[in-house]
Amino acid sequence: QVQLVESGGGSVQAGGSLKLSCTASLYTSSTYCMGWFRQAPGKEREGVASIDSDGRTSYAGSVKGRFTISQDNAKTTVYLQMNSLKSEDTAMYYCASAVYDDGGSWLDENEYHYWGQGTQVTVSS
């Protein structure tokens, strides 16, 4: 059982930066991908960024150029560097892990099998 713990959320003014971290209790050779998702009040959860076991990344159009996903060498911690934050980035951010590849998009929450509890990001304008 993989446990994911997010940290780094908080409140920031528009234009500011935050760096989220997600630490996995276990990284196995079958971990295909890790991703960041977010859910704003009244909205569906959406994919933000992903990084697969080969280091390939993908981003939602709304964050491309502003957010960067990365992982440490041990691949047990995934980061989301968020720059030029906007009020519309306000949401609960979740980390997720996929242990096999269904062939779908890594920005699709249905591709993931383990989830963290989330960390709140609030951007004030």
Side-chain angles (χ1 to χ4, degrees), residues 36-120:
W36 285 98
F37 290 76
R38 66 186 181 187
Q39 187 168 22
K43 294 188 177 181
E44 294 185 352
R45 188 157 56 185
E46 63 174 350
V48 175
S50 68
I51 185 165
D52 70 12
S53 56
D54 291 324
R56 290 172 296 202
T57 59
S58 60
Y59 296 93
S62 59
V63 307
K64 196 171 292 186
R66 299 189 298 123
F67 291 11
T68 302
I69 189 170
S70 62
Q71 60 188 14
D72 67 353
N73 290 337
K75 299 182 180 178
T76 56
T77 301
V78 175
Y79 305 98
L80 185 68
Q81 177 68 48
M82 305 185 294
N83 298 328
S84 302
L85 283 162
K86 306 175 181 179
S87 57
E88 51 262 45
D89 295 318
T90 295
M92 184 72 78
Y93 282 71
Y94 299 91
C95 175
S97 172
V99 296
Y100 58 84
D101 184 0
D102 253 347
S105 166
W106 288 123
L107 294 181
D108 181 349
E109 63 177 328
N110 295 308
E111 296 298 310
Y112 291 83
H113 310 104
Y114 297 100
W115 292 85
Q117 294 299 306
T119 185
Q120 178 68 38

Side-chain angles (χ1 to χ4, degrees), residues 15-45:
S17 299
L18 281 174
K19 186 173 184 178
L20 305 183
S21 299
C22 169
T23 299
S25 61
L26 175 67
Y27 180 86
T28 72
S29 59
S30 63
T31 300
Y32 272 78
C33 193
M34 295 190 72
W36 285 98
F37 290 76
R38 66 186 181 187
Q39 187 168 22
K43 294 188 177 181
E44 294 185 352
R45 188 157 56 185

